[in-house]
Amino acid sequence: MSKIVTDHEFLKQVSSKVESVEEAKQIIEKLENELRKHENGYGLSAIQIGIPKCISVIKYGKYEKEFIHLINPEIIDRGEEFTFYGEGCLSFPNVYVETQRLKDFTITNDVIDGEGFRQEKLTFHHPDNHKEDLESIAVEHEMEHMEGRTLFEYGKPLTPTLPLVRKGPKISRNSPCPCGSGKKYKKCCL
């Protein structure tokens, strides 16, 4: 069973191209199985399950039960950018960022065709004010994983990335105040 990688340094690797159909099929199966476990996930790249290859899967369709397979994708045409608020990543749970995304773009993508690949062009468009349609956002996000980029390289955090940690032991309200005043904590520095 695969586990999603959270090691930032590992995720910064640039993925290599997928060379064979057999390799692509094996990775796609692992990616789909892992992504099905995550209700909030829209896409997953091979690097996120420990395989540094240029392949990912994106959920789409009315019930998000179907998948787009990205194999060795490359952006060939870019439209204007817009700001997208609240983008997340399965490798960094509970972290959300503000990102610059393309409103329209076209990619070339390898498609499994028998024992080989054929190349196709896919065009993506993000509709105005439509947060539910995340397909184009997910495609860009997963392609950036293939390039070794994570949320931390291209987004402005909207939430703290580290939990707050108490520096010392918990002090109860009725304990002597640690400042040395002799008063109870609740009457002094609380």
Side-chain angles (χ1 to χ4, degrees), residues 122-136:
L122 298 171
T123 299
F124 296 92
H125 171 75
H126 187 78
D128 291 329
N129 301 319
H130 201 259
K131 190 155 176 111
E132 287 74 38
D133 189 354
L134 300 176
E135 184 179 296
S136 68

Side-chain angles (χ1 to χ4, degrees), residues 1-188:
M1 176 161 73
S2 300
K3 183 179 179 204
I4 293 184
V5 174
T6 58
D7 180 352
H8 188 251
E9 289 305 310
F10 182 85
L11 293 169
K12 288 170 69 173
Q13 291 181 68
V14 175
S15 296
S16 59
K17 288 195 172 219
V18 177
E19 300 295 332
S20 75
V21 168
E22 187 59 35
E23 177 184 36
K25 286 179 178 179
Q26 289 173 0
I27 296 171
I28 286 169
E29 182 180 358
K30 290 177 184 178
L31 288 168
E32 287 182 358
N33 288 338
E34 185 64 31
L35 189 53
R36 281 186 185 101
K37 299 175 191 173
H38 302 276
E39 191 176 303
N40 294 344
Y42 286 94
L44 191 63
S45 281
I47 189 77
Q48 291 179 275
I49 60 168
I51 305 168
K53 290 290 187 170
C54 289
I55 191 165
S56 64
V57 295
I58 311 289
K59 287 181 188 175
Y60 83 100
K62 185 175 181 180
Y63 301 105
E64 297 173 357
K65 301 286 185 193
E66 300 174 70
F67 295 97
I68 296 171
H69 301 142
L70 298 179
I71 305 170
N72 304 322
E74 292 182 34
I75 294 179
I76 58 170
D77 188 28
R78 298 170 180 268
E80 63 184 74
E81 289 186 343
F82 72 101
T83 301
F84 183 76
Y85 298 94
E87 186 170 335
C89 180
L90 290 173
S91 288
F92 307 106
N94 303 316
V95 175
Y96 300 95
V97 298
E98 170 187 310
T99 54
Q100 289 301 117
R101 290 288 173 221
L102 296 172
K103 185 133 180 89
D104 301 284
F105 61 98
T106 301
I107 67 170
T108 58
N109 186 51
D110 288 345
V111 176
I112 296 171
D113 189 4
E115 297 299 314
F117 295 114
R118 72 176 158 76
Q119 198 170 76
E120 69 178 2
K121 288 183 182 178
L122 298 171
T123 299
F124 296 92
H125 171 75
H126 187 78
D128 291 329
N129 301 319
H130 201 259
K131 190 155 176 111
E132 287 74 38
D133 189 354
L134 300 176
E135 184 179 296
S136 68
I137 305 296
V139 168
E140 270 191 273
H141 179 104
E142 299 312 327
M143 288 180 69
E144 286 174 341
H145 271 302
M146 295 176 200
E147 297 167 359
R149 297 188 318 173
T150 67
L151 286 178
F152 302 109
E153 280 83 42
Y154 63 85
K156 176 183 169 188
L158 298 175
T159 58
T161 57
L162 297 173
L164 296 175
V165 178
R166 185 181 302 119
K167 291 184 179 179
K170 183 175 179 179
I171 302 167
S172 72
R173 297 171 47 83
N174 291 317
S175 296
C177 190
C179 75
S181 67
K183 296 179 183 177
K184 288 185 178 182
Y185 183 55
K186 69 181 178 185
K187 299 273 187 184
C188 190

